């Protein structure tokens, strides 16, 4: 893999170490004026380019790219250039889900490495948000979390907004969550976009590395390097790796049940339909998370020492999942909710354990069908 130094120039200026840029343009013509050189530069030096576009603009995008003289068929066949639409990224399933989109971005960047490209330049057009204004808060949360994700990668993501389409308030808010912005063709650093604390950067690095490599295979030095902190800083926040593992397991980004629960509740389903819906949302979550499974079950399998402090956290969280399922059973009016909830938990754990092995969330749908049969034979009040 080519690891030679790379340049990232946007608007004639070097991005330096910035990896997450908000680009404001006055219409599509100005956007292409600045983005096309950025795309061509990347392809020329062997980077991968992904440009997420309005489906109505995809043909125009390909035409403009072809006019640069590049071999469009070759770069697309090799996956060096991809031009997905909103429906294939931000709006899969017809709506915006910030957790799903973060997973999509992470998977897309990782695929670039799998194809043999050391760096991916991803450009995302966010103008779809104009047509769904209720997502603004989720969009801002997504942008803030994306900034954390990119701090431990060498890839670059450009988020573009058309000044003619978004309100002044929206523009001000999105500028606030980007460390740097291209405004009127000039790069401007956002001093108000505070860099996450050293502790947060360490946790963010642990989140990625523990998932990708496992707890035992991830050394402290790898985490320190990914977080960009000094060794003394690491040990000031976490006296040992065990302390970091415990903090990681307690971190909101690791606690998957909350994300699944919120998506279940958003459907406002009848109590009797919530349990099957839970497994359907779980299947979708497993897919969007890259089939990584449950971090708590994974940790329990890796950490065999009974005295390890993380085992207590794992036990507590698994009990929390079981209690949630028991509450769903009770709300649906079934008797012996505790016993049924435990059986549903076994189905859940089995589905989550099979997902990484089979690279599929289908086991969660099988668990859904099994749960329906189980509940059909259960007594109700």
């Amino acid at each position: 893999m080519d690891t030679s130094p790379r340049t990232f120039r946007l608007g004639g200026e070097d991005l330096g170490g910035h990896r997450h840029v908000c680009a404001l343009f006055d219409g599509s013509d100005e956007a292409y004026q600045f983005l096309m050189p950025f795309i061509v530069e990347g392809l020329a030096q062997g980077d991968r380019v992904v440009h997420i576009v309005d489906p109505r603009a995809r043909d125009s995008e390909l035409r403009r790219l072809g006019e640069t003289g590049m071999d469009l068929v070759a770069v697309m066949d090799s996956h060096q250039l991809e031009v997905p639409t909103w429906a294939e990224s931000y709006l899969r399933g017809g709506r915006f889900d910030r957790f799903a989109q973060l997973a999509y971005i992470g998977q897309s960047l990782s695929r670039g490495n799998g194809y043999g490209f050391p760096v991916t330049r991803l450009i995302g057009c966010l103008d779809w948000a104009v047509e769904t204004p209720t997502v603004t808060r989720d969009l801002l949360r997504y942008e803030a979390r994306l900034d954390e994700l990119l701090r431990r990668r060498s890839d670059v993501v450009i988020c573009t907004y058309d000044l003619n389409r978004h309100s002044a308030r929206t523009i001000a808010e999105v500028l606030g969550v980007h460390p740097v912005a291209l405004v009127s063709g000039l790069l401007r650093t956002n001093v108000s976009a505070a860099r996450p604390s050293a502790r947060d950067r360490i946790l963010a690095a642990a989140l990625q590395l523990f998932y990708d490599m496992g707890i035992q295979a991830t050394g402290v030095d790898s985490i320190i390097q990914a977080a960009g902190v000094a060794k003394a800083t690491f040990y000031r926040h976490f006296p040992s790796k065990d302390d970091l593992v415990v903090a990681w397991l307690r971190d909101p980004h690791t606690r998957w049940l909350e994300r699944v629960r919120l998506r279940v509740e958003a459907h406002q389903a009848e109590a009797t339909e919530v349990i099957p819906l839970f497994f359907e949302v779980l299947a979708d979550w497993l897919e969007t998370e890259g089939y990584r499974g449950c971090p708590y079950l994974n940790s329990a399998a890796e950490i065999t020492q009974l005295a390890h402090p993380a085992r207590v956290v794992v036990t507590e969280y698994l009990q929390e999942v079981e209690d949630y399922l028991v509450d769903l059973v009770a709300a649906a009016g079934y008797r012996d909710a505790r016993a049924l909830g435990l059986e549903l938990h076994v189905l859940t754990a089995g589905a989550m354990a099979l997902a990484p092995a089979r690279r599929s969330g289908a086991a969660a749908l099988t668990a859904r069908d099994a749960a329906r049969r189980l509940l059909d034979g259960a007594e109700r009040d």
Side-chain angles (χ1 to χ4, degrees), residues 110-140:
S110 296
R111 278 200 304 273
N113 297 143
Y115 293 141
F117 301 107
V119 170
T120 292
R121 300 175 178 224
L122 190 146
I123 305 166
C125 172
L126 282 298
D127 293 339
W128 55 266
V130 176
E131 299 169 15
T132 51
T134 56
V135 305
T136 300
R137 179 173 294 183
D138 273 356
L139 175 61
L140 294 173

mmCIF file of all heavy atoms in Angstrom, residues 110-140:
data_model
loop_
_atom_site.group_PDB
_atom_site.id
_atom_site.type_symbol
_atom_site.label_atom_id
_atom_site.label_comp_id
_atom_site.label_asym_id
_atom_site.label_seq_id
_atom_site.Cartn_x
_atom_site.Cartn_y
_atom_site.Cartn_z
ATOM 1 N N SER A 110 -13.331 2.177 5.475
ATOM 2 C CA SER A 110 -12.612 0.916 5.658
ATOM 3 C C SER A 110 -12.547 0.124 4.353
ATOM 4 O O SER A 110 -11.538 -0.537 4.072
ATOM 5 C CB SER A 110 -13.275 0.079 6.751
ATOM 6 O OG SER A 110 -13.200 0.730 8.000
ATOM 7 N N ARG A 111 -13.613 0.177 3.568
ATOM 8 C CA ARG A 111 -13.593 -0.521 2.279
ATOM 9 C C ARG A 111 -12.493 0.020 1.378
ATOM 10 O O ARG A 111 -11.885 -0.736 0.616
ATOM 11 C CB ARG A 111 -14.947 -0.392 1.573
ATOM 12 C CG ARG A 111 -15.993 -1.374 2.026
ATOM 13 C CD ARG A 111 -17.107 -1.522 0.990
ATOM 14 N NE ARG A 111 -17.720 -0.247 0.653
ATOM 15 C CZ ARG A 111 -18.719 0.299 1.319
ATOM 16 N NH1 ARG A 111 -19.214 -0.318 2.373
ATOM 17 N NH2 ARG A 111 -19.235 1.453 0.945
ATOM 18 N N GLY A 112 -12.259 1.312 1.468
ATOM 19 C CA GLY A 112 -11.180 1.894 0.668
ATOM 20 C C GLY A 112 -9.848 1.226 0.961
ATOM 21 O O GLY A 112 -9.081 0.902 0.041
ATOM 22 N N ASN A 113 -9.560 1.002 2.233
ATOM 23 C CA ASN A 113 -8.328 0.297 2.602
ATOM 24 C C ASN A 113 -8.341 -1.119 2.039
ATOM 25 O O ASN A 113 -7.316 -1.624 1.574
ATOM 26 C CB ASN A 113 -8.176 0.247 4.124
ATOM 27 C CG ASN A 113 -8.042 1.627 4.743
ATOM 28 O OD1 ASN A 113 -8.550 1.875 5.830
ATOM 29 N ND2 ASN A 113 -7.370 2.555 4.057
ATOM 30 N N GLY A 114 -9.526 -1.771 2.090
ATOM 31 C CA GLY A 114 -9.639 -3.124 1.564
ATOM 32 C C GLY A 114 -9.391 -3.196 0.069
ATOM 33 O O GLY A 114 -8.876 -4.202 -0.434
ATOM 34 N N TYR A 115 -9.755 -2.133 -0.641
ATOM 35 C CA TYR A 115 -9.500 -2.082 -2.083
ATOM 36 C C TYR A 115 -8.045 -1.741 -2.402
ATOM 37 O O TYR A 115 -7.640 -1.771 -3.562
ATOM 38 C CB TYR A 115 -10.396 -1.026 -2.746
ATOM 39 C CG TYR A 115 -11.869 -1.356 -2.739
ATOM 40 C CD1 TYR A 115 -12.819 -0.361 -2.511
ATOM 41 C CD2 TYR A 115 -12.327 -2.650 -2.976
ATOM 42 C CE1 TYR A 115 -14.182 -0.640 -2.513
ATOM 43 C CE2 TYR A 115 -13.683 -2.937 -2.985
ATOM 44 C CZ TYR A 115 -14.607 -1.929 -2.743
ATOM 45 O OH TYR A 115 -15.953 -2.218 -2.750
ATOM 46 N N GLY A 116 -7.269 -1.399 -1.385
ATOM 47 C CA GLY A 116 -5.859 -1.078 -1.595
ATOM 48 C C GLY A 116 -5.543 0.401 -1.668
ATOM 49 O O GLY A 116 -4.414 0.777 -2.011
ATOM 50 N N PHE A 117 -6.518 1.260 -1.323
ATOM 51 C CA PHE A 117 -6.285 2.698 -1.353
ATOM 52 C C PHE A 117 -5.987 3.187 0.065
ATOM 53 O O PHE A 117 -6.787 2.958 0.975
ATOM 54 C CB PHE A 117 -7.490 3.441 -1.928
ATOM 55 C CG PHE A 117 -7.836 3.008 -3.327
ATOM 56 C CD1 PHE A 117 -8.957 2.220 -3.578
ATOM 57 C CD2 PHE A 117 -7.023 3.362 -4.392
ATOM 58 C CE1 PHE A 117 -9.268 1.800 -4.852
ATOM 59 C CE2 PHE A 117 -7.327 2.953 -5.693
ATOM 60 C CZ PHE A 117 -8.454 2.163 -5.924
ATOM 61 N N PRO A 118 -4.863 3.854 0.267
ATOM 62 C CA PRO A 118 -4.486 4.280 1.620
ATOM 63 C C PRO A 118 -5.371 5.370 2.187
ATOM 64 O O PRO A 118 -5.506 5.503 3.402
ATOM 65 C CB PRO A 118 -3.044 4.780 1.450
ATOM 66 C CG PRO A 118 -2.952 5.170 0.008
ATOM 67 C CD PRO A 118 -3.841 4.215 -0.736
ATOM 68 N N VAL A 119 -5.988 6.155 1.310
ATOM 69 C CA VAL A 119 -6.784 7.301 1.755
ATOM 70 C C VAL A 119 -8.052 7.384 0.920
ATOM 71 O O VAL A 119 -8.029 7.148 -0.292
ATOM 72 C CB VAL A 119 -5.982 8.617 1.611
ATOM 73 C CG1 VAL A 119 -6.885 9.825 1.833
ATOM 74 C CG2 VAL A 119 -4.821 8.665 2.595
ATOM 75 N N THR A 120 -9.148 7.728 1.583
ATOM 76 C CA THR A 120 -10.394 8.008 0.877
ATOM 77 C C THR A 120 -10.758 9.479 1.079
ATOM 78 O O THR A 120 -10.706 9.988 2.191
ATOM 79 C CB THR A 120 -11.548 7.124 1.392
ATOM 80 O OG1 THR A 120 -11.301 5.766 1.025
ATOM 81 C CG2 THR A 120 -12.883 7.562 0.794
ATOM 82 N N ARG A 121 -11.109 10.136 -0.007
ATOM 83 C CA ARG A 121 -11.650 11.498 0.039
ATOM 84 C C ARG A 121 -13.157 11.363 -0.171
ATOM 85 O O ARG A 121 -13.593 10.993 -1.265
ATOM 86 C CB ARG A 121 -11.051 12.374 -1.061
ATOM 87 C CG ARG A 121 -9.541 12.525 -0.973
ATOM 88 C CD ARG A 121 -9.002 13.302 -2.158
ATOM 89 N NE ARG A 121 -7.557 13.474 -2.046
ATOM 90 C CZ ARG A 121 -6.904 14.590 -2.293
ATOM 91 N NH1 ARG A 121 -7.575 15.675 -2.708
ATOM 92 N NH2 ARG A 121 -5.598 14.658 -2.169
ATOM 93 N N LEU A 122 -13.920 11.602 0.859
ATOM 94 C CA LEU A 122 -15.373 11.459 0.758
ATOM 95 C C LEU A 122 -16.012 12.841 0.789
ATOM 96 O O LEU A 122 -15.765 13.626 1.707
ATOM 97 C CB LEU A 122 -15.910 10.583 1.893
ATOM 98 C CG LEU A 122 -17.379 10.168 1.774
ATOM 99 C CD1 LEU A 122 -17.592 8.771 2.361
ATOM 100 C CD2 LEU A 122 -18.319 11.159 2.464
ATOM 101 N N ILE A 123 -16.827 13.126 -0.221
ATOM 102 C CA ILE A 123 -17.540 14.396 -0.312
ATOM 103 C C ILE A 123 -19.024 14.100 -0.191
ATOM 104 O O ILE A 123 -19.568 13.297 -0.946
ATOM 105 C CB ILE A 123 -17.259 15.106 -1.650
ATOM 106 C CG1 ILE A 123 -15.749 15.282 -1.861
ATOM 107 C CG2 ILE A 123 -17.974 16.450 -1.700
ATOM 108 C CD1 ILE A 123 -15.370 15.665 -3.284
ATOM 109 N N GLY A 124 -19.668 14.716 0.764
ATOM 110 C CA GLY A 124 -21.091 14.482 0.963
ATOM 111 C C GLY A 124 -21.886 15.761 0.805
ATOM 112 O O GLY A 124 -21.600 16.770 1.455
ATOM 113 N N CYS A 125 -22.881 15.730 -0.074
ATOM 114 C CA CYS A 125 -23.765 16.876 -0.261
ATOM 115 C C CYS A 125 -24.920 16.748 0.729
ATOM 116 O O CYS A 125 -25.674 15.773 0.703
ATOM 117 C CB CYS A 125 -24.282 16.907 -1.692
ATOM 118 S SG CYS A 125 -25.561 18.150 -1.964
ATOM 119 N N LEU A 126 -25.072 17.742 1.609
ATOM 120 C CA LEU A 126 -26.082 17.691 2.673
ATOM 121 C C LEU A 126 -27.355 18.454 2.330
ATOM 122 O O LEU A 126 -28.166 18.728 3.215
ATOM 123 C CB LEU A 126 -25.489 18.244 3.970
ATOM 124 C CG LEU A 126 -24.560 17.339 4.797
ATOM 125 C CD1 LEU A 126 -25.285 16.095 5.286
ATOM 126 C CD2 LEU A 126 -23.290 16.959 4.076
ATOM 127 N N ASP A 127 -27.562 18.763 1.073
ATOM 128 C CA ASP A 127 -28.733 19.567 0.714
ATOM 129 C C ASP A 127 -30.048 18.809 0.832
ATOM 130 O O ASP A 127 -31.120 19.414 0.786
ATOM 131 C CB ASP A 127 -28.563 20.126 -0.700
ATOM 132 C CG ASP A 127 -27.440 21.148 -0.778
ATOM 133 O OD1 ASP A 127 -27.086 21.708 0.269
ATOM 134 O OD2 ASP A 127 -26.916 21.366 -1.883
ATOM 135 N N TRP A 128 -29.999 17.488 1.003
ATOM 136 C CA TRP A 128 -31.225 16.726 1.248
ATOM 137 C C TRP A 128 -31.916 17.196 2.533
ATOM 138 O O TRP A 128 -33.128 17.046 2.681
ATOM 139 C CB TRP A 128 -30.908 15.230 1.369
ATOM 140 C CG TRP A 128 -29.867 14.931 2.411
ATOM 141 C CD1 TRP A 128 -28.526 14.800 2.205
ATOM 142 C CD2 TRP A 128 -30.079 14.769 3.818
ATOM 143 N NE1 TRP A 128 -27.884 14.573 3.402
ATOM 144 C CE2 TRP A 128 -28.814 14.547 4.408
ATOM 145 C CE3 TRP A 128 -31.202 14.799 4.636
ATOM 146 C CZ2 TRP A 128 -28.654 14.348 5.766
ATOM 147 C CZ3 TRP A 128 -31.051 14.600 5.997
ATOM 148 C CH2 TRP A 128 -29.785 14.369 6.550
ATOM 149 N N ALA A 129 -31.138 17.763 3.469
ATOM 150 C CA ALA A 129 -31.697 18.180 4.757
ATOM 151 C C ALA A 129 -32.698 19.326 4.599
ATOM 152 O O ALA A 129 -33.547 19.533 5.464
ATOM 153 C CB ALA A 129 -30.583 18.589 5.715
ATOM 154 N N VAL A 130 -32.616 20.062 3.494
ATOM 155 C CA VAL A 130 -33.565 21.149 3.253
ATOM 156 C C VAL A 130 -34.975 20.589 3.098
ATOM 157 O O VAL A 130 -35.962 21.203 3.519
ATOM 158 C CB VAL A 130 -33.167 21.937 1.987
ATOM 159 C CG1 VAL A 130 -34.199 22.997 1.673
ATOM 160 C CG2 VAL A 130 -31.794 22.579 2.183
ATOM 161 N N GLU A 131 -35.071 19.401 2.523
ATOM 162 C CA GLU A 131 -36.368 18.787 2.264
ATOM 163 C C GLU A 131 -36.916 18.056 3.488
ATOM 164 O O GLU A 131 -38.083 17.664 3.513
ATOM 165 C CB GLU A 131 -36.245 17.834 1.075
ATOM 166 C CG GLU A 131 -35.814 18.563 -0.202
ATOM 167 C CD GLU A 131 -35.424 17.609 -1.315
ATOM 168 O OE1 GLU A 131 -35.751 16.413 -1.208
ATOM 169 O OE2 GLU A 131 -34.799 18.061 -2.290
ATOM 170 N N THR A 132 -36.075 17.857 4.510
ATOM 171 C CA THR A 132 -36.511 17.209 5.754
ATOM 172 C C THR A 132 -35.981 18.018 6.942
ATOM 173 O O THR A 132 -35.080 17.582 7.651
ATOM 174 C CB THR A 132 -35.994 15.759 5.827
ATOM 175 O OG1 THR A 132 -34.584 15.749 5.571
ATOM 176 C CG2 THR A 132 -36.697 14.866 4.837
ATOM 177 N N PRO A 133 -36.507 19.221 7.146
ATOM 178 C CA PRO A 133 -35.955 20.138 8.155
ATOM 179 C C PRO A 133 -36.028 19.630 9.585
ATOM 180 O O PRO A 133 -35.301 20.117 10.444
ATOM 181 C CB PRO A 133 -36.808 21.405 7.977
ATOM 182 C CG PRO A 133 -38.067 20.937 7.314
ATOM 183 C CD PRO A 133 -37.665 19.796 6.439
ATOM 184 N N THR A 134 -36.882 18.629 9.852
ATOM 185 C CA THR A 134 -37.006 18.132 11.223
ATOM 186 C C THR A 134 -35.757 17.375 11.674
ATOM 187 O O THR A 134 -35.630 17.060 12.855
ATOM 188 C CB THR A 134 -38.225 17.203 11.351
ATOM 189 O OG1 THR A 134 -38.109 16.144 10.382
ATOM 190 C CG2 THR A 134 -39.523 17.963 11.119
ATOM 191 N N VAL A 135 -34.852 17.068 10.758
ATOM 192 C CA VAL A 135 -33.666 16.286 11.127
ATOM 193 C C VAL A 135 -32.495 17.171 11.537
ATOM 194 O O VAL A 135 -31.417 16.651 11.808
ATOM 195 C CB VAL A 135 -33.208 15.364 9.973
ATOM 196 C CG1 VAL A 135 -34.325 14.470 9.511
ATOM 197 C CG2 VAL A 135 -32.648 16.185 8.804
ATOM 198 N N THR A 136 -32.671 18.471 11.595
ATOM 199 C CA THR A 136 -31.538 19.368 11.833
ATOM 200 C C THR A 136 -30.758 18.998 13.088
ATOM 201 O O THR A 136 -29.519 18.953 13.074
ATOM 202 C CB THR A 136 -32.015 20.831 11.936
ATOM 203 O OG1 THR A 136 -32.666 21.192 10.713
ATOM 204 C CG2 THR A 136 -30.837 21.765 12.168
ATOM 205 N N ARG A 137 -31.464 18.714 14.176
ATOM 206 C CA ARG A 137 -30.752 18.374 15.418
ATOM 207 C C ARG A 137 -29.949 17.094 15.256
ATOM 208 O O ARG A 137 -28.786 17.017 15.667
ATOM 209 C CB ARG A 137 -31.746 18.232 16.567
ATOM 210 C CG ARG A 137 -31.082 17.849 17.893
ATOM 211 C CD ARG A 137 -32.056 17.871 19.042
ATOM 212 N NE ARG A 137 -32.539 19.215 19.303
ATOM 213 C CZ ARG A 137 -33.366 19.528 20.294
ATOM 214 N NH1 ARG A 137 -33.816 18.566 21.104
ATOM 215 N NH2 ARG A 137 -33.753 20.774 20.482
ATOM 216 N N ASP A 138 -30.555 16.080 14.640
ATOM 217 C CA ASP A 138 -29.834 14.831 14.417
ATOM 218 C C ASP A 138 -28.656 15.043 13.470
ATOM 219 O O ASP A 138 -27.603 14.423 13.617
ATOM 220 C CB ASP A 138 -30.773 13.772 13.839
ATOM 221 C CG ASP A 138 -31.498 12.996 14.917
ATOM 222 O OD1 ASP A 138 -31.206 13.226 16.111
ATOM 223 O OD2 ASP A 138 -32.373 12.180 14.584
ATOM 224 N N LEU A 139 -28.831 15.924 12.490
ATOM 225 C CA LEU A 139 -27.755 16.213 11.549
ATOM 226 C C LEU A 139 -26.561 16.828 12.278
ATOM 227 O O LEU A 139 -25.408 16.452 12.033
ATOM 228 C CB LEU A 139 -28.256 17.159 10.460
ATOM 229 C CG LEU A 139 -27.218 17.655 9.456
ATOM 230 C CD1 LEU A 139 -26.608 16.489 8.695
ATOM 231 C CD2 LEU A 139 -27.858 18.641 8.483
ATOM 232 N N LEU A 140 -26.821 17.753 13.181
ATOM 233 C CA LEU A 140 -25.730 18.379 13.931
ATOM 234 C C LEU A 140 -25.023 17.362 14.820
ATOM 235 O O LEU A 140 -23.789 17.376 14.951
ATOM 236 C CB LEU A 140 -26.274 19.532 14.772
ATOM 237 C CG LEU A 140 -26.831 20.726 13.981
ATOM 238 C CD1 LEU A 140 -27.494 21.720 14.919
ATOM 239 C CD2 LEU A 140 -25.730 21.398 13.180
#
